[in-house]
Amino acid sequence: MGSGDGARRSQQGACGLGDAQMSFLTNLVMVSALAALAFWLYRFWQGLVPKWLPAELEGAKLVQVEHDLYAKSPFKVAGRPDRVYRTRDGLHVPVEYKNRDRFAVYETDIAQLSLQSWLLRQNGHRTAAFGFAVVNDRNTGEHKALRVDLKDDVFCERLIARYLDVIQRRVQARKSRGRKCNTCGHRTPCES
């Protein structure tokens, strides 16, 4: 073994690879790491954008999550939408999440979303004429956003006035259809 062999061995490094081979391996590792990071970021971003998001909310910004809203006039009222999105044209859209056995919108959903929209307006926000009930199917886990055309301020204020009359016992509540009475937080003797 001559003196040239020792010099060659030091150029190859401890693992027996030359500079060109080490550079290639380093680049390969870097490209692989960047590809893995890009894939992870793509999958992470997919998780942030709900698959149920309707076309009306594409490009909208999520601006409120479980945020309390208050109104003092004409009624002292509080509410908390599950989510509020602001569309590109500046309109606020309330969104409520529901767990159900089927994809359906009920009158109570329309009232709830309408009242949330009314509260948003009472707090100075411009609102869309619609909201969404995002229903999670309990059996399949599938989510679907169901568009709800919202009621106007007159409807909301009449509903609030009626509610106040009922809880202050100025009028008697009407019996609900179905099992709603079983879960009512303001049960009073109902009309037959």
Side-chain angles (χ1 to χ4, degrees):
M1 215 171 11
S3 62
D5 291 340
R8 203 174 310 118
R9 204 174 299 125
S10 68
Q11 285 178 343
Q12 290 179 344
C15 50
L17 298 175
D19 288 341
Q21 292 170 322
M22 283 299 288
S23 178
F24 173 77
L25 283 177
T26 301
N27 288 339
L28 183 63
V29 168
M30 292 292 283
V31 168
S32 297
L34 287 173
L37 177 63
F39 179 74
W40 181 83
L41 286 172
Y42 172 74
R43 296 293 293 165
F44 178 76
W45 180 251
Q46 278 188 321
L48 291 178
V49 179
K51 291 176 178 44
W52 56 260
L53 197 68
E56 294 92 337
L57 295 181
E58 286 181 14
K61 182 178 180 184
L62 178 62
V63 293
Q64 292 181 10
V65 177
E66 296 283 340
H67 178 75
D68 291 332
L69 296 171
Y70 301 95
K72 293 182 181 174
S73 176
F75 304 98
K76 190 174 179 180
V77 177
R80 182 185 298 161
D82 286 344
R83 304 282 188 274
V84 176
Y85 286 84
R86 186 176 56 234
T87 62
R88 289 181 181 150
D89 55 355
L91 299 177
H92 291 73
V93 180
V95 174
E96 278 296 311
Y97 290 88
K98 305 292 181 184
N99 289 304
R100 299 195 170 135
D101 293 326
R102 62 189 183 107
F103 296 113
V105 171
Y106 299 103
E107 289 297 319
T108 53
D109 299 330
I110 297 168
Q112 182 181 21
L113 288 162
S114 296
L115 288 164
Q116 291 171 353
S117 189
W118 179 84
L119 272 169
L120 286 163
R121 288 191 296 281
Q122 296 299 309
N123 283 272
H125 301 292
R126 293 184 318 125
T127 60
F130 58 88
F132 288 94
V134 178
V135 178
N136 172 50
D137 185 313
R138 287 185 184 120
N139 301 312
T140 66
E142 180 186 359
H143 288 74
K144 190 179 288 188
L146 306 175
R147 183 180 161 130
V148 174
D149 291 327
L150 303 178
K151 303 289 187 178
D152 62 12
D153 287 354
V154 171
F155 171 88
C156 292
E157 291 171 12
R158 284 182 183 157
L159 189 60
I160 295 167
R162 170 75 180 161
Y163 172 76
L164 293 173
D165 285 343
V166 168
I167 65 169
Q168 294 170 1
R169 298 179 189 243
R170 291 189 291 254
V171 297
Q172 194 170 24
R174 290 185 300 269
K175 186 172 175 89
S176 176
R177 296 182 308 273
R179 300 177 300 190
K180 278 290 180 194
C181 288
N182 296 339
T183 59
C184 179
H186 306 283
R187 277 187 254 179
T188 59
C190 295
E191 298 173 354
S192 299

